[in-house]
Amino acid sequence: MNSGEPAFLTVEEAAKRLRIGRTLAYQLARRYRSTDGAEGLPVVAFGSTLRVPRAKLEELAGGPIDDVGPAPVVELDRRHGEASAAAATSKPVRRSRTTRRSAAQPALPFTSTDAS
């Protein structure tokens, strides 16, 4: 372990390194605590704060874990049907989705405008 790396990670930091979502990480931490460490994401409670020991996380991962940078942005080239990876530092392309709605759009069959 590098001296600059913390011995304990937040649950969110551990989730990023495992490439799982925050909610799943907290569910796994809860499972670890409810099964007395038999399964789940290993955590240590410091009061009401949960931390993941880096050594346990590396043991679980089967090797050293690295700090995770932003995921590369992949944009589909629609002309050729190929994916091309953009630089990880580039901002994602935002396209507006404009939906045209007809003023005379029919009502859904289960909605009623009658007050009968």
Side-chain angles (χ1 to χ4, degrees), residues 15-80:
K16 285 180 185 177
R17 284 162 175 81
L18 294 173
R19 299 182 69 95
I20 62 174
R22 176 184 177 273
T23 303
L24 177 59
Y26 276 105
Q27 288 173 349
L28 292 171
R30 203 173 306 118
R31 185 178 302 160
Y32 182 84
R33 296 183 77 197
S34 68
T35 62
D36 291 326
E39 57 184 61
L41 181 65
V43 291
V44 177
F46 295 103
S48 63
T49 303
L50 296 177
R51 291 291 183 257
V52 180
R54 177 180 284 274
K56 289 280 192 183
L57 190 61
E58 289 177 340
E59 182 181 314
L60 179 69
I65 56 170
D66 297 325
D67 289 337
V68 179
V73 177
V74 177
E75 187 175 321
L76 183 64
D77 186 351
R78 293 182 184 181
R79 293 171 295 185
H80 299 96

Side-chain angles (χ1 to χ4, degrees), residues 75 78 92-100:
E75 187 175 321
R78 293 182 184 181
V93 177
R94 296 180 189 246
R95 295 185 176 96
S96 65
R97 288 187 168 199
T98 310
T99 306
R100 292 187 181 192

